[in-house]
Amino acid sequence: MSTNNIRRSKDLRGLWPWLPLWTVVVLLAIFSHGPMPLYSTRTLAVAWEMWQGHHWLVPYINGEPYSEKVPLLFWLIHAGWFVFGVGDGWPRMLEVMFGVVQMVLLWVLARRLFPGRPWAAGVVPWMAMALAYAFFFGLQIMYEVLLVDCVLGALLCLTPKTGRAEPRWLLFGLLIGAGLLTKGPVMLLHIVFPWLLGPLWNEWARDNRSRWYTRGGLSILLGLAMLLAWAIPAGFSGGDAYRHRLFFTQTAGRVVNGVQTDQKLQSHPRWFGWYFISLPLLLFPFSAWPRAWVALATLRKPLDAGVRFALCWLVPTFIVFSIVSGKQWYYLLPEMSGAMLLLAGAMAVLRERNNAFAENYWLGTWLIGLGSIAFAGFLFAMPYLVADRHLHGLWFDGVSAYSRTFSIAFLLMGCLLLLPMRGETRRLSIAGLFGVLALNTLFTLTVWHRYDLSPTSALLANAESTHHPIAIEGNYEGEFHFAGRLTQPITELRDGHALQAFAEAHPDGLVVTHPEKVEASAQRYALLIQPFRSSWVVVWSAQTLANLRTGHTPTEPPQPPQVFPAATDSQYGSQP
């Protein structure tokens, strides 16, 4: 066997067993229930409107150009639909494939950054697959997992490899362009600091500063040119208002709170320290692992190139994202991979330099194990607590039906983490991975029906097919368009005057409302009632709802409202 074949065989063995294990678990989780409102359903709605309207340049939602997103993910969804037909199976498979690429890229990046510490490279993917929040968000049909692939791929281009120290500048620029077409200018924030601070971690950058910055700058210009190659024709195609939002107010409205826009912007403004106080959740279960904190606290110079790389990436990027007004947990998804690189490097150093800390049982996973056992006890006791009315609410009432069965899984995971065995990091990763799978399965069995908008979508699809106009009170997030394969916009009603005007213009129309409680009038006159999250979705005849709002008695409907799932009268009057 040739040297190349031997090396390739060794590389493939390095993917076993973590990659097949992670892939199987993700497939089970992502196909256990339908697309999640509102993240996945909104993405699918945009892809569907582009598809059925043949809008290949400009994303659309509810009949209007959608300046919030750039089109690469939608194009990839369309590519699968051309082959397999329209459905939600291909978009979900895309997310799984993005996740596989992410894990492999992270593994390769760790091997490049820690060539002298193979343990660090081997353990990084195990750690990444245990991150609870990253796992759950990776089940959504969203842009961030593809963005992580672009970020990791671009950063991988900057790292030296055997036989080649200079970065692959052309590929670096192409991947920046792909990231810009996935999520917009925020891509640059994820990659700019490892490049700007390159001489601090990359020996080639120290010796060739001029070429490093010149060629890196040209690569960034290449990426921006790719974005502009789409944005300029899209701006002219979408119209003046769309062009203004696309080039000016979208980015400004997220960076600075209070920027005025001509339509509602998903900017999510939050205070400066919001990300910092969220770190324990974002990095769980490692945030509850004492050895991880000790490993980070005991890092001393000289630092490995991989540790320096992770610090150059994470610290300034985290500060800038904290300064930016718009904040969501998933904005930091690429940096969670960087955090695992940093932690793996720190753990490898701890194992080599301080064996006492590396093997001390009280710095191990016992705390997480006790937490898992305590959670198992809580799940086991939940039916009693619900029956005695000590616990009440959407989650408790639903979950209690299966909580005892799932308590066994968390008891076993807790015992696994309490045992003083070798392979502590992998045991923690396996427990974390199967823990999130168990929670996702429990959610599917007990609470998913409160997120499944299929009944309402089917009713609206039938109404549209018979030419009944549709409206919704408040803001519409595209949650019905893909499931119902709707082809016409849904009118947004902002106040009572808009409702009356819609009912007068379209007496045969339908109106969707989102009440916190279901009133007696809905039980008598509505067309459909179904729970949604912690509130309800109610579909009305527009004329009936307008009459009720003005104090008039509507005509008695020919049949009572459809209720999904079957609910008792006692449920209607209280918040679910």
Side-chain angles (χ1 to χ4, degrees):
M1 185 180 292
S2 67
T3 303
N4 288 338
N5 288 335
I6 293 174
R7 186 182 299 114
R8 191 176 297 112
S9 177
K10 182 179 179 181
D11 290 342
L12 291 175
R13 287 199 300 271
L15 301 174
W16 177 266
W18 58 267
L19 187 58
L21 174 64
W22 182 87
T23 304
V24 169
V25 171
V26 170
L27 285 171
L28 289 173
I30 202 168
F31 283 101
S32 64
H33 55 69
M36 178 72 72
L38 300 166
Y39 290 135
S40 297
T41 53
R42 181 165 50 211
T43 304
L44 289 170
V46 176
W48 164 246
E49 289 202 44
M50 291 177 69
W51 175 270
Q52 63 91 19
H54 305 290
H55 304 300
W56 308 121
L57 266 181
V58 179
Y60 271 70
I61 188 168
N62 202 32
E64 296 290 336
Y66 186 49
S67 58
E68 299 269 338
K69 301 302 179 205
V70 282
L72 182 57
L73 177 61
F74 305 127
W75 290 342
L76 294 174
I77 292 174
H78 293 161
W81 284 353
F82 273 115
V83 178
F84 305 111
V86 176
D88 58 53
W90 167 251
R92 285 192 269 184
M93 281 301 303
L94 260 183
E95 292 299 322
V96 175
M97 290 187 284
F98 294 156
V100 168
V101 172
Q102 172 189 337
M103 300 294 285
V104 173
L105 286 174
L106 183 59
W107 173 64
V108 175
L109 187 60
R111 296 177 68 188
R112 294 263 190 98
L113 292 170
F114 300 104
R117 302 187 189 278
W119 182 89
V123 81
V124 158
W126 287 93
M127 297 170 68
M129 71 183 188
L131 286 171
Y133 176 77
F135 182 94
F136 281 127
F137 190 81
L139 303 180
Q140 308 304 315
I141 303 171
M142 285 284 283
Y143 320 88
E144 274 66 28
V145 182
L146 177 56
L147 177 66
V148 174
D149 291 349
C150 296
V151 170
L152 292 178
L155 295 179
L156 185 62
C157 291
L158 296 179
T159 58
K161 61 178 292 188
T162 303
R164 182 186 174 96
E166 183 175 1
R168 296 181 179 272
W169 296 116
L170 177 59
L171 186 56
F172 181 56
L174 293 175
L175 286 167
I176 290 175
L180 290 169
L181 287 169
T182 298
K183 190 66 177 175
V186 73
M187 168 65 181
L188 297 178
L189 281 182
H190 292 293
I191 58 91
V192 71
F193 290 108
W195 170 64
L196 288 176
L197 302 176
L200 296 180
W201 62 270
N202 188 302
E203 185 177 347
W204 190 92
R206 284 196 298 274
D207 296 338
N208 302 272
R209 291 174 185 263
S210 177
R211 292 170 67 184
W212 175 270
Y213 290 113
T214 301
R215 297 187 179 187
L218 291 174
S219 297
I220 291 176
L221 290 177
L222 171 61
L224 291 171
M226 291 173 60
L227 178 64
L228 290 175
W230 162 78
I232 291 175
F236 282 103
S237 176
D240 291 341
Y242 171 76
R243 184 165 59 250
H244 181 74
R245 292 194 302 269
L246 181 67
F247 283 100
F248 301 106
T249 58
Q250 291 301 314
T251 300
R254 286 171 171 79
V255 173
V256 180
N257 189 20
V259 171
Q260 298 298 316
T261 63
D262 59 348
Q263 67 173 204
K264 185 178 179 181
L265 178 69
Q266 300 166 13
S267 57
H268 313 292
R270 306 184 196 276
W271 69 289
F272 175 82
W274 189 74
Y275 279 135
F276 182 78
I277 64 173
S278 302
L279 283 178
L281 174 64
L282 297 179
L283 298 180
F284 186 84
F286 301 101
S287 56
W289 187 21
R291 202 178 319 279
W293 293 103
V294 170
L296 293 173
T298 55
L299 277 175
R300 296 292 184 271
K301 294 183 178 180
L303 299 176
D304 282 359
V307 172
R308 284 181 272 128
F309 167 87
L311 291 173
C312 289
W313 178 13
L314 295 174
V315 175
T317 305
F318 184 84
I319 293 173
V320 171
F321 269 96
S322 297
I323 294 172
V324 170
S325 172
K327 297 179 179 68
Q328 288 281 68
W329 285 337
Y330 54 82
Y331 290 175
L332 294 182
L333 211 60
E335 282 63 45
M336 294 182 199
S337 295
M340 294 302 98
L341 283 171
L342 175 61
L343 184 55
M347 291 290 297
V349 172
L350 184 71
R351 286 163 56 91
E352 294 179 11
R353 297 181 182 175
N354 200 321
N355 194 56
F357 281 161
E359 296 186 357
N360 188 301
Y361 175 80
W362 298 108
L363 297 178
T365 56
W366 63 272
L367 183 62
I368 307 172
L370 288 180
S372 182
I373 292 173
F375 185 61
F378 173 70
L379 289 177
F380 189 83
M382 188 179 292
Y384 296 112
L385 298 174
V386 169
D388 293 339
R389 311 299 292 177
H390 295 299
L391 293 176
H392 177 63
L394 163 65
W395 290 91
F396 299 126
D397 292 348
V399 167
S400 62
Y402 289 88
S403 61
R404 288 181 182 170
T405 301
F406 282 84
S407 69
I408 299 173
F410 286 95
L411 176 64
L412 294 175
M413 285 184 279
C415 294
L416 177 67
L417 295 175
L418 283 178
L419 296 175
M421 299 165 52
R422 293 177 61 84
E424 179 182 64
T425 307
R426 286 175 174 79
R427 283 189 288 117
L428 176 58
S429 299
I430 291 172
L433 182 65
F434 282 96
V436 293
L437 176 62
L439 289 175
N440 183 77
T441 306
L442 183 60
F443 166 82
T444 302
L445 291 173
T446 59
V447 189
W448 164 245
H449 68 274
R450 293 186 177 272
Y451 291 76
D452 183 9
L453 292 172
S454 298
T456 301
S457 299
L459 176 64
L460 299 183
N462 182 66
E464 185 183 87
S465 68
T466 53
H467 309 291
H468 292 276
I470 303 169
I472 188 170
E473 284 195 327
N475 190 43
Y476 178 56
E477 299 285 355
E479 54 265 37
F480 307 116
H481 254 75
F482 179 76
R485 302 296 194 271
L486 304 182
T487 60
Q488 300 298 317
I490 292 180
T491 303
E492 294 181 340
L493 307 177
R494 301 295 184 180
D495 52 41
H497 296 296
L499 170 62
Q500 297 300 323
F502 180 82
E504 291 177 8
H506 308 287
D508 60 338
L510 272 62
V511 177
V512 181
T513 64
H514 288 281
E516 292 296 316
K517 299 179 181 180
V518 177
E519 305 294 340
S521 58
Q523 302 175 44
R524 180 175 178 182
Y525 294 108
L527 300 176
L528 181 145
I529 300 171
Q530 75 161 104
F532 178 56
R533 293 181 171 179
S534 58
S535 60
W536 299 85
V537 169
V538 181
V539 183
W540 302 81
S541 161
Q543 192 63 60
T544 298
L545 183 60
N547 286 336
L548 286 169
R549 294 285 174 84
T550 56
H552 296 88
T553 302
T555 304
E556 196 73 24
Q559 59 187 24
Q562 303 177 65
V563 178
F564 298 90
T568 62
D569 290 342
S570 62
Q571 288 178 299
Y572 291 128
S574 62
Q575 184 171 332

